Amino acid sequence: MMALFHLITLFFLSAVVHTLAENIISIDCGTTGSYVDSNNVTWVGDKGFVTTGEPMKIPDMVTKPTNTLRYFPTGQTNCYTNIQVTKDQKTLVRTKFYYENYDGKFAPPSFDVVYDGKHRDSVEITESLLNDGETLYFSEVIFAPANETISVCLLRTSPSDNPFISSIEVYSLDAGMYADLGPNEGFILRERDAYGAKETISYPLDPYGRIWLPLGAETSLTLTDLSTSAPSIDITGVSNKPPEIVMSKALSGDGLILSDLALPLTGPPVYLALYFSEPQSLSRTQRRSFNVFLDNTQVGSRPIVPVFGKATQVVLRDVVATSASQIVFQSTSDSDLPPIINGLELYSISDSSRDSGGGGGGGGKDDSGGGTKNNGGDKKKNKLPLILGVTFASAFAILASTFGAIFLKKRKNAKPQSNTIPTTSAGHGIGTRMSPLFGQQFASDTNDSHVVQDETHSHE
């Protein structure tokens, strides 16, 4: 659904090569030079990747990389190019957008971001959030690049809105991960949750750069947060490799329903991955067994029986889902313990071989004029983890297109709060929208029976 290469100094080149040797490249947009952050990630400036746009420093903001950005006052399409990757290797690319009224207009823009000319997402920053803390949006896609470099392009969708970008991050994934991803497809992130967790989980606790939002049972009388008593959790049988820390917590409850999914009313085909691990060492008389349904479609071909100290993964793809969809957990007749869930990933599927309007491929085109605004979808609130040293998701608008951008919110308050409203229809559910837990931090920022182990189910 994106910048011409400049000649750069040998020092800059060496910084980029060093970063790529770690299978990670992180670009701090609107700045020069390089630095290493608290997680030992090397960030480089963007002048070797883009030739258009204007750099800008955010007043009164010192936290890198959110203290700078690059905005594009001219051109229909502006691109970052020559971002080095490994050809045909699955790759996660994340773009972040921190507005904070940098232009003094109190008018946050809407625009599209296109990854490698193929996979298109929409960024819609909500004006109502300007007076509600510092807000950082991000968009993320997983795909297998067809070449050794990729582009990230920003597309103007309204003549009055100037696209901008704060950072670009690239992580290489292992070959077996997301095995159902086709060569022309991209998985565009809608939500990624760690149930029962208290802190947002990210790199380096997840070495693949994924951000896991903590969701718990704080406001529910019928759901319970669980922690594993296993000394360790074996994830070797799970191809997507969720972090062990995600599998160490769980959410449990009779009649568990996950609702308010981060999707538009007109739903795309989705990829859904659910992760389970039994947190308790069960006696011979105890059994936990349940089926999972996305609306009327069963996830997996048989009941889930989580294993103590071991991870289980079940995948469903090619089912159309919307914001009205629900993930329903139903205990089997022989189960005497309620269902659980440890982790969830939900993506919309972008297929460049069938989708039109990907746009933005090639090299840093700077056409004059602006396009018409894309109103192809319905707005709804979504949630995402805090990025600026805080943990948890804040409610946000899911964008005016089928592919919504993701945002995070930072608060200065020290008292935890939550506005999760459990659904009451069809059992005891939990909405996926949540306001942030204030005064928290990333977990990675702290000082430092029949069992389906890895099952994929495709619904045609």
Side-chain angles (χ1 to χ4, degrees):
M1 269 170 258
M2 327 179 185
L4 290 176
F5 187 57
H6 255 342
L7 290 175
I8 51 181
T9 64
L10 289 176
F11 172 80
F12 182 75
L13 273 172
S14 65
V16 174
V17 170
H18 173 71
T19 305
L20 288 175
E22 300 175 343
N23 290 328
I24 300 169
I25 184 166
S26 299
I27 301 172
D28 187 345
C29 302
T31 191
T32 59
S34 65
Y35 61 92
V36 179
D37 69 13
S38 60
N39 288 323
N40 202 33
V41 174
T42 299
W43 290 82
V44 298
D46 68 355
K47 285 191 175 180
F49 303 95
V50 64
T51 60
T52 58
E54 301 293 336
M56 171 69 71
K57 184 173 177 62
I58 304 294
D60 303 321
M61 168 57 67
V62 297
T63 304
K64 296 180 178 181
T66 53
N67 64 339
T68 61
L69 58 82
R70 182 173 293 271
Y71 71 99
F72 301 92
T74 63
Q76 177 70 22
T77 304
N78 290 274
C79 295
Y80 282 73
T81 58
N82 289 299
I83 301 172
Q84 296 185 44
V85 292
T86 301
K87 181 180 177 181
D88 297 327
Q89 182 172 355
K90 290 169 192 144
T91 301
L92 182 152
V93 183
R94 180 164 52 242
T95 51
K96 294 178 184 173
F97 311 92
Y98 181 60
Y99 176 66
E100 194 59 11
N101 195 34
Y102 79 89
D103 53 7
K105 296 180 178 180
F106 290 97
S110 299
F111 51 91
D112 286 357
V113 55
V114 178
Y115 299 93
D116 210 29
K118 300 175 182 177
H119 308 296
R120 187 166 184 160
D121 201 356
S122 293
V123 179
E124 182 172 323
I125 299 173
T126 309
E127 187 173 1
S128 62
L129 292 173
L130 286 178
N131 299 321
D132 198 15
E134 298 168 342
T135 305
L136 177 65
Y137 287 70
F138 74 83
S139 167
E140 185 181 302
V141 64
I142 293 173
F143 68 105
N147 299 293
E148 294 180 351
T149 62
I150 61 170
S151 64
V152 176
C153 294
L154 305 179
L155 276 63
R156 188 183 306 274
T157 56
S158 171
S160 61
D161 288 351
N162 290 331
F164 76 95
I165 188 167
S166 300
S167 65
I168 302 171
E169 299 169 81
V170 180
Y171 292 81
S172 294
L173 306 180
D174 287 350
M177 298 175 68
Y178 305 98
D180 301 283
L181 178 70
N184 297 311
E185 292 180 335
F187 288 170
I188 299 178
L189 181 68
R190 296 294 152 238
E191 58 185 277
R192 184 185 292 121
D193 302 321
Y195 290 94
K198 304 301 181 185
E199 300 173 318
T200 298
I201 297 164
S202 63
Y203 184 86
L205 291 177
D206 187 330
Y208 304 103
R210 294 167 296 188
I211 298 174
W212 299 79
L213 165 71
L215 288 178
E218 287 83 0
T219 61
S220 174
L221 299 177
T222 60
L223 301 176
T224 303
D225 292 331
L226 301 176
S227 297
T228 187
S229 59
S232 63
I233 298 175
D234 180 9
I235 63 169
T236 56
V238 177
S239 62
N240 287 352
K241 299 187 177 180
E244 185 175 341
I245 189 173
V246 170
M247 305 310 298
S248 69
K249 306 289 184 180
L251 184 69
S252 178
D254 288 314
L256 175 62
I257 296 174
L258 305 180
S259 62
D260 198 11
L261 302 179
L263 294 167
L265 290 176
T266 303
V270 300
Y271 171 92
L272 173 67
L274 303 176
Y275 306 103
F276 308 94
S277 180
E278 174 58 56
Q280 304 170 11
S281 179
L282 303 183
S283 68
R284 292 183 178 180
T285 61
Q286 291 178 304
R287 179 174 175 83
R288 194 190 308 273
S289 173
F290 52 91
N291 292 302
V292 183
F293 299 87
L294 174 59
D295 296 329
N296 296 321
T297 302
Q298 184 168 357
V299 184
S301 59
R302 50 180 68 89
I304 307 299
V305 182
V307 179
F308 180 65
K310 195 166 186 176
T312 298
Q313 167 183 309
V314 181
V315 166
L316 176 70
R317 61 159 292 159
D318 296 323
V319 172
V320 173
T322 73
S323 59
S325 295
Q326 293 183 325
I327 301 172
V328 180
F329 296 71
Q330 296 180 352
S331 294
T332 59
S333 58
D334 60 345
S335 178
D336 55 3
L337 294 174
I340 63 168
I341 183 171
N342 302 71
L344 173 151
E345 292 185 272
L346 178 64
Y347 300 85
S348 56
I349 301 174
S350 165
D351 189 338
S352 61
S353 66
R354 76 177 175 219
D355 296 341
S356 60
K365 159 170 95 161
D366 187 10
D367 304 328
S368 59
T372 58
K373 189 169 183 178
N374 182 352
N375 292 316
D378 298 280
K379 296 179 184 178
K380 76 178 288 291
K381 288 186 178 180
N382 192 6
K383 40 84 188 150
L384 259 223
L386 298 167
I387 281 296
L388 305 179
V390 185
T391 108
F392 221 49
S394 63
F396 77 146
I398 194 178
L399 317 174
S401 121
T402 298
F403 302 110
I406 301 170
F407 79 92
L408 312 100
K409 185 180 274 192
K410 175 186 176 184
R411 304 281 191 131
K412 297 180 180 178
N413 309 60
K415 185 177 179 181
Q417 298 187 17
S418 174
N419 291 327
T420 303
I421 302 176
T423 59
T424 54
S425 60
H428 304 294
I430 179 170
T432 58
R433 289 182 296 177
M434 301 187 74
S435 66
L437 292 183
F438 307 141
Q440 303 280 329
Q441 64 180 6
F442 281 99
S444 56
D445 289 337
T446 56
N447 294 334
D448 298 340
S449 76
H450 176 84
V451 178
V452 183
Q453 287 303 325
D454 188 353
E455 179 173 335
T456 301
H457 182 64
S458 180
H459 181 79
E460 298 299 338

